[in-house]
Amino acid sequence: MISGLSSSRWHLTAIVLVVTAILLSPFYWVLMGSFSTPAELFGTHLTLWPKRLAVENWSNALSRLWPHVNNSLIVSTTVSLCTLVLTVPAAYALVWLRPRGGKLLFNFLLITQMLPAIVFVVPLFVVFSQANLVNNLFGLALGDMTFTVPFALIMLCAYVKDLPYELVEAALVDGATQFRSFVSIVLPLTLPGIITVGIFSFLIPWADLIYALSLVTDETLQPLTLQLYKALGQYGIDWSFLLPGSVLTSIPAVLFVILASRFILAGVTRGAIK
Amino acid sequence: MSESQMTNLVSFSEGYGSQRSRFNFSPYVFVLPCALFAAALLFYPVVSSLALSFRQATVDTFVSGDMPFNGLTQYQAAIGDPVFWRAVINTVLFTVFSIVFQFTIGFLLALLFQFEFPLKSFCLALLLIPWVLPLLTSANIFKGLFNEAGLINQLLHLAGNRPIPWLADRQFALPATIVANIWVGFPFNFVLLYAGMRNIPVELYEAAKLDGADYWRRVFQITLPILKPVSVSVLMLGTVYTVKVFDLVWIMTGGGPANSTHLLSTYAYQVGFSILNFGEAAAIATLMVLLLLILNLFQLLMKPR
């Protein structure tokens, strides 16, 4: 728009595609690498495409990682649902019902976003190890929620602000309770925001390493990320396992970005600029 | 915003007239679960971390549970350790270089995306990928690219250069982690700057064009000044996120070789969970928050009022 012309310009598309390809080449490398033998990938010559697709990398990685995918699914689903249950009603109330202390709560959660994870990890490890929440998937989910709850509340407040509150008022005048109007009016109207935040609250624990590393030592309970991290010995990394595993870990996020980039864009810019 | 506040005010006064005898407890019911969570899992740890930093919390006292108060001992121990200062310098270098490059790449991309062209939203979605990838994936990608026999050395070889042992070399390991972090963070800068540029009225550009200003003049005299508040927010958010970076460096180098890539986050984690000195880890965490405040103060001073 800066030039004032908005007609189709395929030459610009060509430039942008080249730039995009260069910027995404590291991601291409891991996709290609997950189907290559380490000897080929780390040979003296540059390979742009494996001579033979090493599908066995994937079948080995999948069979080894499947139980851990399951752990990650359990933790991420729990975190996502619990985060929404805690934050959706709270965001609505903070923006429209304004309880005393609401501003304080919001500002405190905003500040916690700035604090490094280690501030939470050390004390929670101390408490969790006394409360039997170490080596416990629910304990891990609680830890991960220290990331998702502040983030979700801040983002949801931005969505809830756009709500046409007259509709809620009309329902209240007609005799509906606050709870009823929340369920039948607020929830459906903020659904796009709830879904976006719910997906982010799934992806954050899915990718978490620091809480898994600190709170889970039991092999059978380890989530995907931790299992892959453990495969990184200081010497002799098994790339034929690590690369398909890394791609596997990225699948939910990549799916989300391809299917819902519009929502992410709206969400990110809302949360950060307002 | 102000309009919605008005309706809120009106509804409040109406409600007050008709139901003055009934205390409206529902806002508290809506907020209570979230407030309880915040108190137990966010507020308590912040206070506890601060308290822990003044206590001797090592393996033995941790198991026995008494953790005696010993004042500033942990802070003195942290400050007295040369690795701590290495980590402070690394954190500043890591943050400054990451932010400068992420912002520049993000800004140039946003300029490009100011034009309309076919497949624009498709390219935009693709460019978000590095930002949403789990850090474990990104870290492993760059661990592979910077491997002694990895792609970057293969390219150096093609250009007739000797290979560099990037992640095993005390000089090159930190720059390698910075490159990885720039890759992870540029989309965030891009997206926010892109959103900011969309709010600039087209008439401004058209008027400048009529006055004979060429493209780069328009960028420097219209886009950049109008984008200043957004840029400051982006830089501040970027600083906060970058100072907190842990996973990427922990996975790529673990702080090594010979502690040369420790950031405050990885160093605090190592002191806490490898050496099992939780008190000193908490002290380093507190110092890290101080550093964050200082870096942000710098940027606040730049903010136009």
Side-chain angles (χ1 to χ4, degrees):
Chain A
M1 294 293 265
I2 190 165
S3 71
L5 258 169
S6 60
S7 58
S8 291
R9 298 150 157 246
W10 282 96
H11 70 278
L12 264 173
T13 307
I15 296 173
V16 172
L17 280 175
V18 170
V19 171
T20 308
I22 293 171
L23 286 171
L24 287 187
S25 54
F27 188 61
Y28 171 76
W29 182 85
V30 74
L31 288 178
M32 189 262 302
S34 73
F35 287 103
S36 308
T37 60
E40 196 175 10
L41 196 60
F42 296 109
T44 33
H45 296 290
L46 191 72
T47 34
L48 291 178
W49 184 251
K51 286 195 194 71
R52 180 187 69 84
L53 284 186
V55 187
E56 68 277 7
N57 289 355
W58 272 89
S59 53
N60 287 341
L62 279 176
S63 63
R64 254 174 85 182
L65 289 171
W66 198 247
H68 304 284
V69 171
N70 206 30
N71 291 336
S72 285
L73 277 175
I74 294 172
V75 172
S76 298
T77 311
T78 311
V79 170
S80 177
L81 292 179
C82 292
T83 301
L84 288 178
V85 168
L86 290 182
T87 54
V88 175
Y92 166 66
L94 286 187
V95 172
W96 292 111
L97 310 177
R98 293 166 191 257
R100 271 160 179 267
K103 194 96 192 147
L104 188 72
L105 178 66
F106 183 84
N107 286 335
F108 173 66
L109 291 185
L110 205 61
I111 291 171
T112 63
Q113 285 272 283
M114 298 181 34
L115 301 177
I118 191 85
V119 169
F120 303 98
V121 173
V122 170
L124 287 182
F125 174 75
V126 173
V127 179
F128 281 15
S129 45
Q130 286 153 356
N132 246 343
L133 285 166
V134 167
N135 280 325
N136 176 322
L137 288 185
F138 185 67
L140 178 57
L142 275 179
D144 285 335
M145 281 168 71
T146 62
F147 293 142
T148 56
V149 166
F151 161 82
L153 188 88
I154 292 162
M155 249 176 99
L156 283 168
C157 279
Y159 278 104
V160 170
K161 264 184 195 139
D162 296 343
L163 195 76
Y165 193 68
E166 307 82 61
L167 291 179
V168 180
E169 280 173 335
L172 291 178
V173 169
D174 287 346
T177 61
Q178 275 289 356
F179 294 96
R180 215 192 131 69
S181 53
F182 174 73
V183 173
S184 57
I185 298 170
V186 178
L187 283 188
L189 284 177
T190 39
L191 201 60
I194 294 175
I195 293 174
T196 311
V197 172
I199 292 175
F200 271 117
S201 305
F202 179 92
L203 294 177
I204 292 170
W206 181 273
D208 163 69
L209 180 67
I210 196 166
Y211 275 112
L213 202 55
S214 319
L215 299 179
V216 185
T217 48
D218 184 342
E219 181 84 21
T220 55
L221 292 177
Q222 289 176 350
L224 193 53
T225 48
L226 185 55
Q227 191 60 29
L228 280 167
Y229 172 76
K230 289 276 164 82
L232 280 173
Q234 194 97 41
Y235 303 99
I237 298 168
D238 180 3
W239 293 99
S240 65
F241 169 67
L242 195 67
L243 296 185
S246 301
V247 176
L248 180 68
T249 314
S250 72
I251 287 176
V254 173
L255 274 185
F256 175 46
V257 106
I258 303 274
L259 297 177
S261 61
R262 217 168 277 263
F263 290 104
I264 307 181
L265 277 180
V268 175
T269 46
R270 252 167 220 267
I273 296 208
K274 276 199 182 169
Chain B
M1 180 63 205
S2 62
E3 201 182 333
S4 55
Q5 265 171 338
M6 285 289 272
T7 36
N8 209 25
L9 206 65
V10 170
S11 72
F12 175 71
S13 53
E14 279 168 5
Y16 187 73
S18 57
Q19 331 172 328
R20 90 175 55 198
S21 58
R22 221 168 61 192
F23 174 69
N24 191 4
F25 64 91
S26 58
Y28 298 91
V29 179
F30 281 126
V31 171
L32 192 67
C34 187
L36 287 179
F37 177 89
L41 283 124
L42 294 165
F43 187 67
Y44 169 77
V46 171
V47 175
S48 168
S49 175
L50 196 60
L52 212 57
S53 71
F54 298 107
R55 288 176 183 280
Q56 188 194 341
T58 51
V59 197
D60 352 320
T61 62
F62 179 63
V63 173
S64 66
D66 53 352
M67 300 195 271
F69 179 83
N70 63 354
L72 291 173
T73 316
Q74 273 72 237
Y75 288 90
Q76 284 163 345
I79 291 174
D81 190 338
V83 182
F84 170 80
W85 292 106
R86 182 77 253 167
V88 172
I89 294 168
N90 284 350
T91 305
V92 173
L93 289 176
F94 187 85
T95 305
V96 171
F97 279 103
S98 294
I99 300 269
V100 166
F101 283 98
Q102 286 172 355
F103 188 87
T104 310
I105 297 173
F107 183 77
L108 292 176
L109 278 175
L111 281 183
L112 205 50
F113 275 72
Q114 242 186 336
F115 295 104
E116 294 299 326
F117 52 86
L119 295 181
K120 181 169 160 174
S121 49
F122 171 72
C123 292
L124 210 146
L126 285 182
L127 283 171
L128 290 178
I129 289 180
W131 180 59
V132 295
L133 281 188
L135 285 170
L136 178 104
T137 307
S138 316
N140 286 340
I141 290 176
F142 282 91
K143 221 175 151 72
L145 293 177
F146 282 114
N147 186 287
E148 295 225 33
L151 182 80
I152 291 175
N153 277 341
Q154 288 169 345
L155 289 174
L156 283 180
H157 181 77
L158 273 184
N161 292 306
R162 300 168 129 251
I164 296 173
W166 296 96
L167 295 175
D169 187 290
R170 292 168 66 166
Q171 249 188 321
F172 292 111
L174 188 70
T177 60
I178 294 174
V179 169
N181 193 56
I182 292 169
W183 190 71
V184 170
F186 83 82
F188 176 74
N189 289 255
F190 162 49
V191 163
L192 292 187
L193 292 171
Y194 168 70
M197 284 183 194
R198 280 167 73 99
N199 291 333
I200 302 177
V202 190
E203 294 79 36
L204 282 179
Y205 291 116
E206 279 163 358
K209 209 175 173 188
L210 283 181
D211 289 345
D214 68 0
Y215 177 75
W216 287 106
R217 207 180 147 108
R218 276 174 272 154
V219 168
F220 281 107
Q221 304 212 321
I222 299 175
T223 315
L224 271 176
I226 297 186
L227 220 52
K228 197 169 174 190
V230 176
S231 307
V232 174
S233 310
V234 171
L235 290 173
M236 286 182 70
L237 283 170
T239 306
V240 170
Y241 291 142
T242 313
V243 170
K244 280 165 58 168
V245 166
F246 166 78
D247 305 41
L248 197 69
V249 174
W250 189 253
I251 296 167
M252 278 181 76
T253 66
N259 295 324
S260 60
T261 56
H262 263 310
L263 304 180
L264 282 170
S265 63
T266 58
Y267 180 55
Y269 193 84
Q270 175 164 306
V271 169
F273 288 89
S274 305
I275 306 172
L276 297 176
N277 188 339
F278 296 108
E280 196 180 323
I284 299 167
T286 311
L287 295 171
M288 209 174 144
V289 175
L290 281 179
L291 177 74
L292 199 60
L293 288 177
I294 294 170
L295 286 177
N296 266 332
L297 264 180
F298 266 129
Q299 286 169 346
L300 260 186
L301 292 178
M302 282 165 34
K303 194 160 189 159
R305 40 210 86 182

